[in-house]
Amino acid sequence: MNVLIWNCRGAVKRRLKGMPVSFMKKHKVELVILLETRVNGPRALKTISKLGFSNHIIEEARGFAGGIWALWNQTSFSIDLVDKSLQCIHLRISWQDKDPLILSAVYASPDIVKRRKLWEEIMLFNVQNKEPWFIAGDFNEILGSNENRGYAPVDLNRCADFADVLDSCNLMDLGGAGPTFTWKGPKFAHLDRVFKRLDRAVANDSWRIRFDEAGTRKSGRIARSGFYPWLEHPSFKQVLTENWRNNLESEGNLRLLVLILKEWNTLTYGHIIHKKNNILRRLEGIQQSLENYHNPKLERLEVDLRKGARVAA
């Protein structure tokens, strides 16, 4: 079973419609979990419907903060909500011919007091749980100085508290391919940029024994916001002007433009999925290099590639 866990930082975005779908097709993803959705109520349900998912479990955002969604279409398994809170949802995934497992998705608060509340909830759930358990997401905390690079000091007491939570629950870090650091801070004058590993996946003994060949992968960071590249292209308005026929009703014009714009898109952007995958591979390599040393040229290239990945989405 392939699961995508993505801190989307707001679910009402244009790029949200395209990126999970293309990623799901490439990696045969069966379950999508979105963190920090920042929307709730009817607006959340409308967004989920537009994304094309028939099943969902939601932990509502509080105002414009938080929010966790589990989305899927598959009928080969069932998912039931075991428990949830503002910072975590616990799901039981069941198959007809397999024993169930627990999958928990975390989006920890940046507020240390609220985050300590999450640690208590996780330890309490561990006492009650007797099943294979996989828990992943944004824990907003690091385990030690090796998971931090840059000018920001490391609070070793907080690291120890987090480590104690994982140890007491017998949860082992699963590591994962891809960049070491999952969060990049702002760049201030005369100071090194801060990188931290805030996202991770951990599991208990029974899960690791059952899925001994399972793996995790962290994808490269891309730009937060997206836009439709057609509107930015200098020839787009010209194509519309030249092919809009005043003697046709709007509906007829739109049907005609669909065919014309499909051809124009192919000629203008080429094989866009192939280009996007190539950009993401280069972006991941650059980000791994920047984790080890500061290089202004690579940082500028990263910015350009992130824009390219955003356009391709």
Side-chain angles (χ1 to χ4, degrees):
M1 180 182 193
N2 292 336
V3 180
L4 166 64
I5 301 178
W6 182 25
N7 189 340
C8 63
R9 296 180 175 88
V12 185
K13 292 183 177 180
R14 290 177 177 177
R15 75 180 178 102
L16 187 63
K17 185 176 181 180
M19 186 173 179
V21 174
S22 62
F23 190 96
M24 286 175 65
K25 287 181 179 178
K26 179 181 178 182
H27 297 282
K28 299 180 181 179
V29 173
E30 298 172 280
L31 171 63
V32 174
I33 295 177
L34 300 180
L35 308 176
E36 200 179 0
T37 56
R38 299 178 182 172
V39 291
N40 51 34
R43 197 178 186 193
L45 297 178
K46 183 178 180 180
T47 301
I48 292 169
S49 177
K50 286 184 176 181
L51 291 173
F53 291 99
S54 56
N55 302 298
H56 63 267
I57 292 175
I58 297 177
E59 166 57 26
E60 297 275 16
R62 301 295 191 271
F64 293 102
I68 304 173
W69 298 355
L71 312 171
W72 73 99
N73 285 320
Q74 292 285 340
T75 57
S76 60
F77 57 82
S78 62
I79 301 181
D80 299 301
L81 179 64
V82 179
D83 196 8
K84 69 175 182 175
S85 68
L86 178 62
Q87 302 178 77
C88 187
I89 61 173
H90 303 286
L91 309 173
R92 177 176 287 106
I93 305 177
S94 306
W95 298 263
Q96 288 185 348
D97 58 343
K98 301 175 184 176
D99 292 333
L101 61 87
I102 300 296
L103 187 154
S104 301
V106 168
Y107 176 66
S109 172
D111 184 319
I112 182 59
V113 175
K114 293 179 180 178
R115 199 156 63 246
R116 284 174 179 151
K117 175 66 174 175
L118 172 62
W119 300 162
E120 295 172 1
E121 293 172 357
I122 289 175
M123 289 188 288
L124 178 60
F125 184 83
N126 174 65
V127 173
Q128 301 168 343
N129 177 55
K130 304 302 179 185
E131 296 174 294
W133 185 20
F134 174 90
I135 176 169
D138 184 350
F139 289 83
N140 236 314
E141 191 59 272
I142 60 176
L143 284 171
S145 56
N146 63 313
E147 295 184 349
N148 179 92
R149 184 171 73 79
Y151 70 88
V154 175
D155 189 326
L156 295 179
N157 290 327
R158 279 172 35 188
C159 294
D161 289 343
F162 184 33
D164 286 344
V165 173
L166 299 184
D167 289 343
S168 66
C169 297
N170 197 29
L171 293 168
M172 179 178 288
D173 195 298
L174 298 177
T180 300
F181 302 109
T182 62
W183 179 82
K184 181 176 75 171
K187 181 71 172 69
F188 297 105
H190 310 300
L191 293 172
D192 291 335
R193 190 186 298 274
V194 177
F195 293 85
K196 292 186 178 184
R197 186 192 178 200
L198 301 181
D199 305 79
R200 70 185 69 241
V202 297
N204 64 8
D205 283 344
S206 57
W207 189 94
R208 298 199 309 274
I209 292 171
R210 179 172 168 183
F211 302 100
D212 59 321
E213 295 184 357
T216 63
R217 181 176 185 84
K218 304 180 289 292
S219 65
R221 300 176 298 273
I222 65 170
R224 289 187 178 184
S225 60
F227 62 92
Y228 291 118
W230 286 7
L231 301 179
E232 303 293 324
H233 198 279
S235 68
F236 178 68
K237 291 183 180 180
Q238 181 181 350
V239 172
L240 290 182
T241 302
E242 291 178 352
N243 292 282
W244 187 269
R245 300 183 181 181
N246 293 326
N247 60 332
L248 290 179
E249 297 291 336
S250 295
E251 185 177 344
N253 264 310
L254 291 175
R255 283 199 298 266
L256 177 64
L257 282 172
V258 166
L259 300 175
I260 293 171
L261 288 173
K262 280 184 177 179
E263 182 180 0
W264 174 81
N265 178 69
T266 301
L267 293 173
T268 304
Y269 292 101
H271 301 290
I272 199 165
I273 298 300
H274 174 75
K275 290 182 178 180
K276 176 183 174 182
N277 290 335
N278 183 55
I279 289 172
L280 291 175
R281 284 193 295 270
R282 293 180 63 195
L283 186 60
E284 185 174 302
I286 288 171
Q287 289 175 351
Q288 287 179 306
S289 296
L290 288 173
E291 290 176 354
N292 299 316
Y293 63 93
H294 172 65
N295 185 314
K297 184 177 179 180
L298 280 182
E299 286 194 341
R300 289 193 296 270
L301 181 56
E302 182 197 13
V303 171
D304 291 340
L305 287 175
R306 289 176 71 181
K307 291 178 180 178
R310 182 179 64 182
V311 169

